[in-house]
Amino acid sequence: MSSIVLFGPPGAGKGTQAARITESTGLPQVSTGDMLRAAVKAGTPVGLEAKGFMERGELVPDAVILGLIEERLTHDDAQNGVMFDGFPRTVPQAEALAQITTITHVLAIEVPDERIVERICGRLSCGNCGTVYHDAFNPVPVAGCPCGAFEPKRRADDNESTVNNRLSTYHEQTAPLATWYRDLGIFHAVNGDRDIDAVAEDLLAVLA
Ligand code: AP5
């Protein structure tokens, strides 16, 4: 099994681009953030443990995350590789991942910090189908969400104070992974401070 990693700060556009990469490559998206939010919503033991960390913009402990990943990779749709979104986020997570799968590409979406706050504070998604929008940069179509049952939803951690913590956490604990993957020769950085289609084009070109 060989897989790819979507890497970048909070709000860089990983989830937005994941939808396009899945459409083009067929690789299923494995988002630890989405898995944790589902666990919080369902009130599972993992969700109860993760909730406080997420609300503070801190990382959930590695052991919890690795348990989720190991279970997810047993699913049928993961047997030919997956696209990790928001994982790994620490060196121990990357080391554990290297033991269970081969990573062929780490696609890094680079966006300056000053853009991140406006992206995250304007994020809106459809609670029915999961499509991610933005109040200004990627608005819901005038005709409504293509799923036909738009349910506006905003994330509990999408506020200015949590965003700043998430950014500090990213710079301290996750950004160092770039060097780790660069040394392996599989790190590809793309300028994410452009419109969504231009970023998608560059990411897909790396995979072509
Ligand atoms: P997670 O859900 O992974 O959040 P994140 O990494 O902070 O990333 P986001 O989902 O906020 O952003 P994104 O890059 O997907 O951007 P999006 O496409 O939505 O993690 C949440 C929390 O869970 C963490 O804080 C942590 O507590 C925990 N967690 C998760 N994984 C963990 C792990 N591995 N280890 C430990 N803890 C973990 O885009 C953002 C907005 O910008 C949208 O509105 C979008 O429409 C807009 N946009 C996108 N692209 C563009 C563009 N090119 N131009 C203009 N606007 C754009």
Side-chain angles (χ1 to χ4, degrees):
M1 175 172 87
S2 55
S3 298
I4 66 173
V5 168
L6 270 181
F7 186 84
K14 300 182 295 295
T16 300
Q17 298 298 338
R20 295 173 180 233
I21 295 172
T22 291
E23 204 177 290
S24 166
T25 64
L27 286 174
Q29 175 191 12
V30 172
S31 158
T32 40
D34 286 349
M35 291 158 82
L36 290 167
R37 278 183 288 281
V40 170
K41 193 172 173 198
T44 65
V46 163
L48 293 175
E49 184 172 357
K51 192 168 186 279
F53 292 100
M54 296 172 80
E55 284 172 353
R56 292 189 297 274
E58 296 169 6
L59 292 184
V60 173
D62 289 337
V64 174
I65 299 296
L66 292 170
L68 284 176
I69 290 291
E70 277 164 20
E71 194 282 327
R72 179 64 182 83
L73 293 184
T74 64
H75 294 199
D76 285 349
D77 71 342
Q79 300 317 302
N80 293 321
V82 303
M83 170 180 39
F84 294 104
D85 165 4
F87 172 86
R89 265 167 143 106
T90 63
V91 170
Q93 289 182 18
E95 286 170 344
L97 182 62
Q99 302 299 314
I100 51 179
T101 187
T102 302
I103 300 297
T104 56
H105 299 80
V106 175
L107 304 175
I109 305 176
E110 296 187 333
V111 178
D113 284 4
E114 57 271 22
R115 287 267 186 266
I116 295 295
V117 177
E118 60 184 2
R119 282 200 187 179
I120 283 187
C121 294
R123 174 164 45 194
L124 171 73
S125 64
C126 174
N128 181 51
C129 69
T131 301
V132 179
Y133 296 103
H134 188 281
D135 292 331
F137 307 138
N138 184 22
V140 182
V142 178
C145 187
C147 76
F150 181 60
E151 281 174 31
K153 198 170 135 196
R154 294 199 191 258
R155 273 169 47 177
D157 58 348
D158 278 355
N159 56 72
E160 208 164 328
S161 64
T162 307
V163 170
N164 288 326
N165 284 345
R166 285 159 65 191
L167 270 174
S168 306
T169 302
Y170 171 78
H171 288 298
E172 284 161 22
Q173 297 183 58
T174 304
L177 272 180
T179 307
W180 205 79
Y181 281 122
R182 214 172 256 125
D183 289 348
L184 293 176
I186 56 173
F187 188 85
H188 305 269
V190 160
N191 175 8
D193 191 14
R194 295 170 302 146
D195 71 57
I196 292 170
D197 288 342
V199 179
E201 203 174 303
D202 279 7
L203 292 171
L204 290 171
V206 172
L207 296 174

